[in-house]
Amino acid sequence: MEVHRCRFVEYTPSAINALAFAPTTTRPVLACGRANGDIEIWSPRNEWTLEKVIPGGKNTSVEALAWAHQTTLTEDEDFWDSEKEKQAAIKKLVKTPPRLFSAGLNAVVTEWDLRTLKPKRSVDSHGGAVWCMAANHANTVLAVGCEDGCVRLFDIADGEMAFIRSFDMQKTRILSLAWSQDDKIMVTGSAKSSIYKWDVELGRVVSRMTVDRVSGEDTLVWAVKILINGTVVSGDSLGHVKFWDGETTTMTQSFNAHGADVLCLAVGSDGNTVFSSGVDRKCNQYRFVDQPAPRKTGKNGKNGSVNSKTETIAKWVLAGSRRFHSHDVRALALDDSRNVDALVSGGVDVSMVVCPAAQFPDTNQRRLPYVPQRPVVSISKSKRLMLCRQTNGIKIWRLGKSASPVQPFSEIEIGAHMDLIEPQQAILEMSFKDDRNLTASALSEDGHWIAVADIEEVKLFRVDENPSKPGQLLVKKQKSFPGVRGTGAHFLTFTPDSTRLVVASTDSHVVILDVTQYESGKFDVLRRFGQHRGAGGKNAKSMDLDEEEEEEEEEVVGGESEVETIAFMAVSADGLWLATGDLKNRIFVFNLDTLQHHATLPVFDAPLTALHFHPYSPTLAIPTASNVFYLFNVETRRLTDWSREYSSEKHFPTKFLGLKDKIQGVAFNPARRNTLLVWGATYICHVDLDQGVGDRNAILNVNKRKRVDRAKDEILKQQHERRMKRYAALGIDPMPELESGKAVVVLKGKKGKVLTAATNHTEEAEEKEEFNFQLLHKFQPLMFVEFVGENSLVAVELPFIKILSSLPPSYYRASYGT
């Protein structure tokens, strides 16, 4: 099998600027804000799974994130008629999903709709760029630190978002802020070597703490936190981490543990653990521990009386440090109050690193994949074209061709290089002037259609070759294309015959559009399905129903809690079946001939990671975040025999289930129809569906298994040589049966009578262990894997060294003698 290892794709992940865990009163999720404005929502379930990506836009770099989950009522006691009504209101409030806010240098504070991934509401900060933001512990007030030196408060109680008032203005920008446990006190870090303590009710400074200065230059206080006992912790541009008494505002301890700016802090829920990190890439842990108190000395310099009980004093100590990143660390997030137990860090090197907080620093970290977890690559197999989506544009390449191999693929060593007779070629690049980042893209199989979308609109382009200039392409935007009623899309795909465009809209509709009448400027909406809005199978209505009436009926059937983002779509190779999946793990199958809902699949325990049809059968492959995949026959509406027998964590190989990187896609080789490839960021796994799963404890890594087999063969060879020497010493003539190991010599009696046994029951080689899942780790982080023909695989890789080459130099300080 030939593999096109494509490393020419131009895709650069964005730096991480902010991290924030949701409050402990709701399910554990982590928000990750990036410099391009994107916000990723991660779940710690199943070894960290990416749930969704909120798209950013031009000049929307995320500098601060804040979650809010209100659990207390704001109404007076007299408002409620009975205690039962009050408790029902509290229960409803607790079940409400958390709210996510973001802010940045564009001076806008935004609340996001986590279903449509659109801004729910936005307000101006009225003070320029926003450097920091935090909700109070009651989750009813949002504080924002601005460029003009003001802290502004916004009322976010009961689902609202309204400006309340501003604190007294300072002559310096507010870089960091934190609330006290009772929400009556706030501390802010400034750009003028000062930390201010505020009375929230009065909006005035009640005290000031001054940090060190060097050569008359102001020190920037990048991070502040308040512990549960009122202690204030600060990190500044001199690399100092300081602890302050919250009542007297005097410094109690100082650590010069960093070589450069301390950009972020994270504190434990018990108030006895603090983490710091910054420009020098070092992550430090500080603990509040009891230490022996210093002994008192008398006037003559001798020790005084010694008590039988040693006195102790509680102090902060530097407990340990690690370096997880290659560049500046800009954000830390800590969750130690649930079963998460995770310290998460991120920065300029684009990767999130997760490690158990309770075992720090004596633990192994995990670097989450920096490659996109949702597909950004589309392919035309017949035309050998590949499209890659970027933040605000697309690029299309024509794949290269290799020389035909002289010998069969089975005889060629894995990883052997094959010469190209035609190199890859970039044939088209398109950039869009919209301020919004792209969310979806698709390339038709015939190569004539390109569709792109953001959260507001869908655009369609026709690509043809210039008849007067062969080799030159003409791209024409279809201005008459109506889109999907003013909404954008989370997923786009074309049917294999390139006659229809399937759109998963931001309002969770599945829309089928006809593109065959483009010359007359007509694009008919053939069908609009609302199953992902909670309509279920009841939405199987005729095509004659008016679209407006249909949409209104769907809204009645499906409640707001049933609406969920559509994240996955797949169309069968014959164009008959369409499968869609959302973030509630619901999968629906539609018949594209009759344009009717066909089946609703069972809901699997683990989140979905992809959908893919078999090219020669109506079988849908469904990988999940637990690394178990299912095969579902959409015609019979049931799992295949293989999947019913083996698709469970009880049967899959343990080493495959233990892979940290989730399955990101599935590929089928047309030359071997009963096999499939599942792939993740760091591996490709071959599975033969004509076999069972084999030994659950078998070695799956192909290269490691070869080393083990070679070692076993060497042991058998040595045993055979020793046996033959023993036979020679006994005067036994060599025979073919003995040389081949098919027979052994058995000695009987004292006279040494020699008999030849027909079989070897004692020393014959052990039967080879049965295995099926074959893992290959020869690839750099993978973005896309798909077959373009028989035994012809395309693997798009994104080496980390390519990303590092585009980053600025990291911090370095020469040491004496180096």
Side-chain angles (χ1 to χ4, degrees):
M1 182 172 68
E2 66 176 6
V3 180
H4 300 261
R5 302 183 67 174
C6 304
R7 298 184 178 181
F8 50 80
V9 173
E10 297 174 4
Y11 180 88
T12 304
S14 190
I16 297 172
N17 286 348
L19 295 169
F21 273 106
T24 56
T25 53
T26 184
R27 70 183 186 96
V29 287
L30 174 73
C32 171
R34 296 188 178 267
N36 65 348
D38 288 352
I39 302 175
E40 300 170 353
I41 308 298
W42 290 80
S43 170
R45 283 188 59 198
N46 300 108
E47 296 290 343
W48 292 92
T49 305
L50 177 67
E51 292 188 350
K52 58 190 74 176
V53 179
I54 300 172
K58 186 178 180 181
N59 299 324
T60 59
S61 174
V62 177
E63 298 296 328
L65 290 170
W67 290 92
H69 186 236
Q70 184 181 348
T71 57
T72 57
L73 300 174
T74 56
E75 293 84 359
D76 297 332
E77 291 291 336
D78 299 336
F79 179 82
W80 307 102
D81 296 333
S82 64
E83 182 65 22
K84 185 177 180 180
E85 182 183 3
K86 178 181 176 182
Q87 293 302 321
I90 294 176
K91 188 175 181 180
K92 181 180 179 181
L93 198 61
V94 172
K95 288 185 177 181
T96 304
R99 302 164 66 189
L100 177 62
F101 301 88
S102 71
L105 304 183
N106 61 347
V108 176
V109 181
T110 304
E111 180 185 358
W112 295 95
D113 188 321
L114 296 181
R115 289 195 179 97
T116 65
L117 308 185
K118 292 182 178 181
K120 195 171 186 178
R121 54 172 66 90
S122 298
V123 296
D124 194 291
S125 69
H126 303 290
V130 176
W131 290 93
C132 53
M133 180 172 59
N136 65 350
H137 291 86
N139 290 281
T140 57
V141 179
L142 185 70
V144 175
C146 301
E147 176 75 21
D148 66 349
C150 255
V151 175
R152 289 173 172 82
L153 302 184
F154 293 86
D155 181 11
I156 58 173
D158 303 324
E160 298 297 326
M161 187 178 180
F163 175 74
I164 302 176
R165 60 190 176 89
S166 299
F167 286 2
D168 292 345
M169 184 178 293
Q170 304 298 313
K171 296 180 180 179
T172 176
R173 63 178 182 265
I174 307 298
L175 297 177
S176 54
L177 62 84
W179 292 82
S180 64
Q181 290 295 311
D182 58 5
D183 295 334
K184 296 180 179 179
I185 297 296
M186 182 187 298
V187 294
T188 60
S190 72
K192 281 196 174 183
S193 312
S194 297
I195 303 170
Y196 297 97
K197 179 181 176 181
W198 300 80
D199 185 304
V200 175
E201 184 177 355
L202 300 176
R204 295 178 180 177
V205 175
V206 296
S207 184
R208 190 180 74 167
M209 295 160 270
T210 304
V211 299
D212 300 335
R213 300 175 65 184
V214 175
S215 302
E217 296 183 359
D218 287 323
T219 301
L220 309 179
V221 183
W222 290 112
V224 292
K225 296 289 182 181
I226 300 181
L227 306 182
I228 57 174
N229 61 359
T231 300
V232 178
V233 189
S234 66
D236 57 46
S237 58
L238 297 180
H240 297 166
V241 175
K242 297 180 181 294
F243 294 83
W244 310 79
D245 187 302
E247 290 292 331
T248 63
T249 63
T250 57
M251 187 181 68
T252 56
Q253 284 184 259
S254 178
F255 293 89
N256 187 12
H258 290 274
D261 300 48
V262 177
L263 300 179
C264 47
L265 295 170
V267 299
S269 58
D270 59 358
N272 294 326
T273 307
V274 174
F275 293 91
S276 66
S277 193
V279 173
D280 66 351
R281 316 185 314 263
K282 187 190 298 183
C283 184
N284 290 336
Q285 183 193 50
Y286 311 87
R287 288 182 178 174
F288 196 59
V289 298
D290 291 331
Q291 288 187 322
R295 293 184 178 182
K296 297 180 180 180
T297 57
K299 295 181 179 180
N300 56 359
K302 296 181 179 181
N303 293 335
S305 60
V306 179
N307 297 328
S308 59
K309 186 177 180 181
T310 304
E311 295 183 359
T312 61
I313 183 172
K315 294 182 63 177
W316 288 95
V317 297
L318 179 61
S321 64
R322 292 286 298 274
R323 275 193 173 94
F324 299 135
H325 296 267
S326 63
H327 286 70
D328 305 7
V329 179
R330 294 183 177 177
L332 286 175
L334 176 64
D335 189 337
D336 60 355
S337 59
R338 290 169 287 197
N339 296 327
V340 180
D341 183 31
L343 173 68
V344 186
S345 59
V348 177
D349 64 359
V350 310
S351 296
M352 281 200 304
V353 174
V354 181
C355 70
Q359 304 172 21
F360 186 94
D362 303 323
T363 183
N364 292 328
Q365 76 278 10
R366 184 195 169 194
R367 186 178 297 272
L368 299 183
Y370 56 82
V371 292
Q373 304 291 292
R374 299 284 188 267
V376 297
V377 176
S378 305
I379 200 164
S380 168
K381 299 178 182 180
S382 59
K383 301 297 183 180
R384 298 179 65 84
L385 300 177
M386 183 173 67
L387 177 149
C388 180
R389 182 178 78 248
Q390 298 160 352
T391 301
N392 57 356
I394 61 168
K395 195 169 184 178
I396 299 179
W397 287 267
R398 180 174 284 112
L399 298 174
K401 293 183 179 180
S402 62
S404 300
V406 180
Q407 56 194 90
F409 286 120
S410 58
E411 300 178 7
I412 301 177
E413 182 181 357
I414 296 178
H417 179 72
M418 300 178 66
D419 295 329
L420 285 176
I421 56 176
E422 289 185 21
Q424 74 278 357
Q425 180 184 7
I427 62 173
L428 179 64
E429 184 172 7
M430 299 173 62
S431 297
F432 303 99
K433 297 180 180 180
D434 298 318
D435 293 338
R436 303 175 295 271
N437 292 352
L438 296 180
T439 58
S441 59
L443 174 67
S444 64
E445 180 59 30
D446 63 6
H448 287 301
W449 291 107
I450 298 173
V452 297
D454 54 34
I455 58 174
E456 296 294 341
E457 64 176 326
V458 181
K459 299 178 182 179
L460 185 65
F461 299 88
R462 176 76 182 182
V463 182
D464 292 297
E465 189 170 350
N466 191 339
S468 60
K469 297 181 180 179
Q472 185 178 0
L473 298 178
L474 295 176
V475 181
K476 183 178 180 181
K477 181 180 179 181
Q478 304 301 303
K479 296 182 179 180
S480 60
F481 180 69
V484 191
R485 289 186 184 172
T487 67
H490 295 312
F491 206 107
L492 298 171
T493 187
F494 287 94
T495 55
D497 58 4
S498 304
T499 61
R500 298 177 181 179
L501 173 64
V502 185
V503 179
S505 67
T506 55
D507 60 359
S508 299
H509 281 105
V510 178
V511 185
I512 317 295
L513 298 108
D514 182 13
V515 298
T516 58
Q517 305 180 55
Y518 71 94
E519 293 181 347
S520 61
K522 188 176 182 181
F523 298 91
D524 292 331
V525 178
L526 302 178
R527 198 68 165 87
R528 181 188 295 264
F529 296 104
Q531 273 68 16
H532 294 281
R533 295 186 60 82
K538 300 178 182 179
N539 190 34
K541 294 182 279 288
S542 66
M543 292 174 57
D544 297 331
L545 183 65
D546 182 74
E547 292 180 7
E548 294 291 339
E549 296 176 0
E550 177 183 342
E551 186 174 84
E552 291 176 3
E553 185 169 345
E554 289 175 11
E555 294 295 338
V556 174
V557 175
E560 183 68 23
S561 62
E562 296 298 320
V563 181
E564 191 50 273
T565 306
I566 302 173
F568 310 100
M569 286 202 307
V571 179
S572 60
D574 58 5
L576 179 60
W577 305 107
L578 167 68
T580 61
D582 62 25
L583 297 180
K584 284 184 179 290
N585 273 16
R586 298 176 300 188
I587 303 175
F588 301 103
V589 178
F590 306 96
N591 189 312
L592 292 180
D593 277 357
T594 62
L595 294 175
Q596 298 293 323
H597 172 256
H598 175 73
T600 301
L601 273 66
V603 176
F604 301 105
D605 294 334
L608 308 176
T609 58
L611 294 175
H612 200 289
F613 274 101
H614 192 287
Y616 297 106
S617 70
T619 301
L620 178 65
I622 310 166
T624 65
S626 64
N627 279 351
V628 175
F629 59 85
Y630 301 86
L631 302 173
F632 187 87
N633 189 309
V634 298
E635 285 188 351
T636 61
R637 297 184 175 92
R638 61 184 297 181
L639 295 173
T640 64
D641 294 339
W642 189 95
S643 192
R644 285 200 305 274
E645 184 173 357
Y646 299 114
S647 292
S648 72
E649 295 185 18
K650 296 180 179 179
H651 296 95
F652 266 43
T654 54
K655 293 187 182 298
F656 183 75
L657 295 175
L659 293 171
K660 297 294 185 182
D661 294 329
K662 308 305 171 192
I663 300 175
Q664 289 184 224
V666 180
F668 292 93
N669 187 354
R672 303 182 64 184
R673 300 186 179 185
N674 290 331
T675 65
L676 61 83
L677 296 182
V678 293
W679 59 275
T682 56
Y683 64 86
I684 293 179
C685 182
H686 177 272
V687 182
D688 190 343
L689 300 178
D690 288 333
Q691 303 179 23
V693 297
D695 183 6
R696 289 199 69 208
N697 300 316
I699 299 173
L700 305 183
N701 190 315
V702 174
N703 295 326
K704 184 176 181 180
R705 188 165 59 241
K706 285 182 177 180
R707 293 194 298 269
V708 172
D709 291 343
R710 283 196 296 266
K712 289 182 178 180
D713 292 341
E714 185 65 25
I715 292 174
L716 292 176
K717 181 180 178 181
Q718 294 174 2
Q719 291 177 348
H720 179 70
E721 290 176 352
R722 289 196 299 268
R723 189 164 56 242
M724 296 307 296
K725 288 181 180 180
R726 189 165 64 248
Y727 292 163
L730 294 173
I732 301 173
D733 297 332
M735 293 186 298
E737 291 82 0
L738 296 178
E739 292 286 350
S740 62
K742 295 181 180 179
V744 295
V745 174
V746 180
L747 302 179
K748 285 188 176 181
K750 298 180 180 180
K751 297 181 179 181
K753 184 178 180 180
V754 180
L755 296 177
T756 303
T759 59
N760 177 6
H761 297 287
T762 57
E763 298 185 24
E764 68 177 356
E766 297 180 358
E767 294 184 1
K768 292 186 177 180
E769 60 181 355
E770 295 182 0
F771 60 88
N772 184 4
F773 288 58
Q774 302 181 52
L775 276 173
L776 198 61
H777 291 279
K778 277 187 170 292
F779 301 94
Q780 298 286 345
L782 290 164
M783 293 175 56
F784 179 79
V785 174
E786 182 60 285
F787 283 93
V788 293
E790 293 187 355
N791 292 319
S792 182
L793 182 71
V794 172
V796 181
E797 301 172 276
L798 187 61
F800 188 60
I801 190 67
K802 185 176 180 181
I803 296 176
L804 287 178
S805 63
S806 64
L807 299 179
S810 60
Y811 170 83
Y812 173 75
R813 174 180 288 182
S815 301
Y816 178 75
T818 61

